[in-house]
Amino acid sequence: MIQDDTQTPAPVRVIGCGMIAREILAVSDQLGFSHIDLKCLPAMWHHHPEKIAPGVDQAIEQAKSEGFEKIFVAYADCGTGGHLDRVCDKHGVEQIAGPHCFSFYLGNEEFDQQSDELITCFFATDFLARHFQTFLVKPLGLDRHPELRDMYFGNYTKLIYIAQTDDEQLTQNAKDAAEFLGLEFEKRLAGYGDLTPALAGAR
């Protein structure tokens, strides 16, 4: 009798940014993963990056207390200035490489090669195309004080929509966002980039 030695992977607690929750689930589905246990932290923390490292630290401690032996942090550095790296090192957990999600969606290597020409570009993803008003316009007060637009975005020349999906409505939303901000528009259909291999290793 031949024995089946394949084993279901142990559950993995993925601590992810709320901005990429939909994408984490989509990639997990593509990979056929059923062992991912996703814990999302507030997307709005990207307006307050000082909250990310301590929030992830607490979430890792909670995951350990719940019995998770495998934990993966679905954040890049995301403006923490290396503090998130130190949290992950302290706990011995892996995280997505890169400075931010725009980089790992495009591909960290490609982003790094183009860094000089991208320096005056503002980036949007499917998330921002979907939530432009609630995530950017209202929190920055641009709906109440339109004169702030040029203060915040005057040094940008172009909005690059790094798209995860080829969605007509999201593309139009991103175009509208570029027009609202007074920027040129470019779309790059990148898919999930480095998020896919990063999650593939979370097992």
Side-chain angles (χ1 to χ4, degrees):
M1 180 178 178
I2 299 176
Q3 292 184 339
D4 184 1
D5 292 330
T6 60
Q7 296 181 349
T8 302
V12 177
R13 168 61 57 83
V14 173
I15 300 167
C17 171
M19 286 183 68
I20 66 170
R22 184 187 293 254
E23 289 70 30
I24 291 171
L25 294 174
V27 170
S28 297
D29 186 61
Q30 286 183 0
L31 294 171
F33 283 0
S34 59
H35 63 287
I36 297 296
D37 184 285
L38 177 60
K39 169 74 173 181
C40 283
L41 301 181
M44 282 294 180
W45 281 2
H46 273 273
H47 293 303
H48 305 279
E50 73 279 2
K51 295 184 178 182
I52 295 175
V56 171
D57 191 14
Q58 184 177 2
I60 292 173
E61 292 286 3
Q62 180 180 345
K64 289 180 176 180
S65 72
E66 294 175 9
F68 285 93
E69 296 182 2
K70 179 70 175 180
I71 301 166
F72 182 78
V73 173
Y75 273 94
D77 180 75
C78 299
T80 69
H83 288 292
L84 185 56
D85 289 345
R86 288 189 280 277
V87 167
C88 292
D89 288 344
K90 180 181 77 171
H91 291 285
V93 304
E94 296 180 4
Q95 71 178 108
I96 301 175
H100 40 62
C101 64
F102 313 118
S103 178
F104 69 66
Y105 277 145
L106 194 61
N108 285 317
E109 183 176 352
E110 180 177 348
F111 191 94
D112 187 59
Q113 291 172 350
Q114 301 179 36
S115 59
D116 288 343
E117 63 186 84
L118 297 175
I119 196 167
T120 59
C121 296
F122 179 76
F123 302 105
T125 61
D126 282 9
F127 175 89
L128 193 58
R130 192 176 285 113
H131 302 291
F132 180 69
Q133 290 291 326
T134 56
F135 187 77
L136 192 78
V137 174
K138 292 182 179 179
L140 293 181
L142 301 180
D143 54 335
R144 304 181 302 279
H145 302 284
E147 70 277 6
L148 294 176
R149 186 196 73 171
D150 292 341
M151 292 178 59
Y152 287 130
F153 298 96
N155 292 325
Y156 293 106
T157 59
K158 180 190 294 185
L159 182 149
I160 297 181
Y161 172 33
I162 302 173
Q164 285 65 70
T165 57
D166 195 10
D167 184 282
E168 184 176 345
Q169 183 59 59
L170 292 183
T171 299
Q172 185 58 55
N173 290 355
K175 288 180 179 178
D176 293 343
E179 182 178 359
F180 179 87
L181 297 176
L183 303 176
E184 298 176 22
F185 176 78
E186 178 184 337
K187 177 181 176 179
R188 299 190 187 184
L189 183 57
Y192 302 112
D194 292 344
L195 178 61
T196 299
L199 282 179
R203 56 185 306 153

